[in-house]
Amino acid sequence: MLVPGVTAGRLHLRAFLCCLLAAAARAEEKVGQIRGRVSIPQKFAHDLPPGQGIASMRVILDGGMQSALPTADGYFLIGNVAAGPHLLQVVHPKLLFDPVRVEAQEGTTMKMSAYLADFEHGRGAKLKYPLGLAPSGAYSYLEKREEFNILSVFKSPMALISLFSFGAMLLLPKLQPMIEEEKNRQRLEQEAKREADGNERR
């Protein structure tokens, strides 16, 4: 029969040993760091409102499991990166950055390789490391208004019908005298023919 105090002591000892083993396993697990720099080219910078430059950026790893804020110069560092593939993204309210696939490989030191993220094939073009990231575009929240083109008027059926009707209104008054003249000419020809037939009968 076990004494309750002894049983409780053994349970505490086992829990303590499990904690030590878990801590040792974490200590042996190698982790690395992802380093890089984000920058904003001049063609994007002049369209940004004041205060929405690098200070508005956030670098996130694996959908937000880890994150870092760039320094004023754009440098960032994300630590405690375990071995394996990771998805790195730069979040900004106005600018669009291409996602990056970072592969951490164990060795004597943790080696980092970076590629453009291709969600169909996994890897895209290989990138230099440490990373140098810049926006690939800007978000467009409003649809750009199309410029007026006079030729687009002729592509509309309603516009074509209106133009045809307007042209008919202009041409009909000019055609009316020609029609009357043609009728008079035909009438005179018929009268002349009748007179000629009458003379022949006589």
Side-chain angles (χ1 to χ4, degrees), residues 83-96:
H86 302 275
L87 180 66
L88 184 139
Q89 296 168 286
V90 180
V91 180
H92 189 275
K94 297 285 186 181
L95 301 176
L96 176 65

Side-chain angles (χ1 to χ4, degrees), residues 128-158:
K128 292 182 179 180
Y129 188 84
L131 295 168
L133 305 177
S136 58
Y139 290 108
S140 179
Y141 297 104
L142 298 176
E143 186 176 352
K144 187 177 180 181
R145 189 174 183 178
E146 293 184 4
E147 296 181 0
F148 177 74
N149 185 359
I150 189 65
L151 296 178
S152 63
V153 175
F154 298 100
K155 297 179 182 179
S156 171
M158 293 300 295

Side-chain angles (χ1 to χ4, degrees), residues 86-124:
H86 302 275
L87 180 66
L88 184 139
Q89 296 168 286
V90 180
V91 180
H92 189 275
K94 297 285 186 181
L95 301 176
L96 176 65
F97 289 78
D98 292 326
V100 177
R101 177 188 173 98
V102 180
E103 296 182 357
Q105 300 174 349
E106 285 191 37
T108 53
T109 58
M110 190 72 75
K111 181 182 178 182
M112 299 292 178
S113 301
Y115 307 85
L116 280 178
D118 187 332
F119 295 107
E120 291 185 3
H121 305 97
R123 288 182 181 179

Side-chain angles (χ1 to χ4, degrees), residues 2 4 11 14 16 35 38-40 52 61 70 76-77 102 104 113 129 141-143 145 173 177-178 183-184 200-201:
L2 295 175
L11 290 175
R14 287 179 182 176
F16 179 70
R35 301 172 181 269
V38 289
S39 59
I40 302 176
Q52 288 200 0
L61 191 69
F76 66 89
L77 184 147
V102 180
S113 301
Y129 188 84
Y141 297 104
L142 298 176
E143 186 176 352
R145 189 174 183 178
M178 297 174 63
K183 287 182 178 180
N184 291 333
E200 288 179 0
R201 289 175 183 175

Side-chain angles (χ1 to χ4, degrees), residues 1-8 10-11 14:
M1 183 175 179
L2 295 175
V3 180
V6 176
T7 304
R10 287 180 179 177
L11 290 175
R14 287 179 182 176

